[in-house]
Amino acid sequence: APISTGVVSAAAECFVPDMPEIGGRGADKVRVDPHTERLADLPTVQARLAAGSVSIPTYVNVITAKALTADQQTAREQQVVRQVRVLNRAYSGRSAGDATNTPFRFSLERTRFVVDAEWATMGYGTAAEREAKAALRVGGPDTLNIYAADIGDDLLGWATFPQSYEA
């Protein structure tokens, strides 16, 4: 099978072909067989990016329609901390017997609480989503921004991949 060149992005076990290099933090050029199911199984990747060697700065934006009480805010902050622990457990290979210890770890830099009734119910691809992300986003394509809101439609959320990042 032919070997193609691409970039390992801030998402573990993800190969993004033809993505421009986004810097030394969270990305590294590697040669990847596109027919391989798991990127972490490739010796070239393991040799280039050691387990736990890529720290991804993570910013969480909790968006609500009304201001939270001090107790509600404390509870949400604790939920965010626990969720980042879950991410790190999963990406360090401790979430299941056959899980892979990846290079990626998430560093919670800040949790911000934002009150905005329109943003609190943003939907995928809406003006509210674009406005909220434009106003709240921190960092570049090597930074994870999470937006917690009441998005409705029985959705838990959606993701934007690094190759879709626009400065």
Side-chain angles (χ1 to χ4, degrees):
I3 301 294
S4 60
T5 301
V7 175
V8 178
S9 72
E13 300 181 11
C14 176
F15 174 67
V16 183
D18 303 322
M19 181 177 151
E21 190 169 2
I22 58 175
R25 206 164 126 196
D28 198 1
K29 284 193 173 188
V30 295
R31 293 173 57 79
V32 177
D33 179 344
H35 303 291
T36 301
E37 289 184 12
R38 293 176 57 115
L39 181 62
D41 291 339
L42 297 173
T44 57
V45 173
Q46 292 174 341
R48 299 286 303 265
L49 298 174
S53 64
V54 179
S55 180
I56 301 169
T58 303
Y59 294 84
V60 177
N61 300 281
V62 178
I63 307 168
T64 57
K66 297 178 183 174
L68 299 175
T69 67
D71 286 344
Q72 289 171 323
Q73 189 166 324
T74 298
R76 298 276 175 97
E77 287 172 338
Q78 292 170 349
Q79 287 175 327
V80 168
V81 168
R82 286 193 304 269
Q83 185 59 52
V84 172
R85 278 192 206 129
V86 168
L87 280 171
N88 283 320
R89 182 174 171 79
Y91 280 75
S92 66
R94 295 180 293 147
S95 60
D98 62 348
T100 299
N101 189 1
T102 75
F104 308 104
R105 300 297 184 271
F106 301 87
S107 171
L108 180 60
E109 302 296 326
R110 181 175 69 194
T111 301
R112 177 177 17 192
F113 292 88
V114 178
V115 178
D116 188 297
E118 186 178 346
W119 293 355
T121 58
M122 71 174 106
Y124 178 73
T126 63
E129 178 195 14
R130 289 187 298 277
E131 291 166 8
K133 290 180 176 182
L136 301 174
R137 175 147 189 74
V138 177
D142 60 345
T143 303
L144 176 61
N145 280 260
I146 298 173
Y147 306 88
D150 183 13
I151 59 175
D153 293 329
D154 292 328
L155 291 174
L156 295 175
W158 60 86
T160 304
F161 294 100
Q163 69 267 30
S164 299
Y165 175 79
E166 295 177 15

